[in-house]
Amino acid sequence: MRDGPQQADLAGDDLALPDDQPAQLSAARTLQASPDIIRVRYIDGGADYQTGAAGARRETPAGGGSADLDLPIVLDQAFAESAAWRALRQPDAERDQPPSMSRR
């Protein structure tokens, strides 16, 4: 998880850089807004294995739009709603794109 304590400090000597091209490195991260609405589709075991749907919505939208989760497993409505709320509450850092390294 990314919410724990810092594990290590990295210096320039710790990175694999070409010896003949010294370069400054920078990390760039594109942050994506967290979804305001999560929709979960699943196989509903209590409804003759038909497709079921559940969802979760933020109380105060932040302009993140919506996201769909298609779970090809048999669930009940309560578990699917729990999965939707869990996906909605995930820390933003877990949904970010990994940093891209670029030379200056």
Side-chain angles (χ1 to χ4, degrees), residues 6 14 23 29 52 74 77 80 87 99 102:
Q6 180 177 336
D14 297 324
R29 180 181 296 251
V74 177
Q77 179 72 21
S102 62

Side-chain angles (χ1 to χ4, degrees), residues 17-40:
L17 299 173
D19 292 331
D20 61 340
Q21 297 177 352
Q24 293 276 337
L25 292 181
S26 67
R29 180 181 296 251
T30 302
L31 298 178
Q32 299 175 341
S34 298
D36 296 323
I37 300 169
I38 299 284
R39 288 183 295 267
V40 175

Side-chain angles (χ1 to χ4, degrees), residues 45-103:
D48 211 15
Y49 299 99
Q50 297 294 314
T51 301
R57 177 185 306 259
R58 290 189 193 279
E59 288 184 23
T60 54
S66 64
D68 294 325
L69 297 175
D70 291 322
L71 304 177
I73 57 177
V74 177
L75 301 175
D76 61 18
Q77 179 72 21
F79 196 96
E81 287 177 6
S82 175
W85 281 106
R86 182 179 174 131
L88 191 65
R89 292 180 182 143
Q90 273 185 315
D92 292 346
E94 290 184 10
R95 284 191 283 269
D96 293 344
Q97 295 177 2
S100 62
M101 302 300 282
S102 62
R103 294 174 193 235

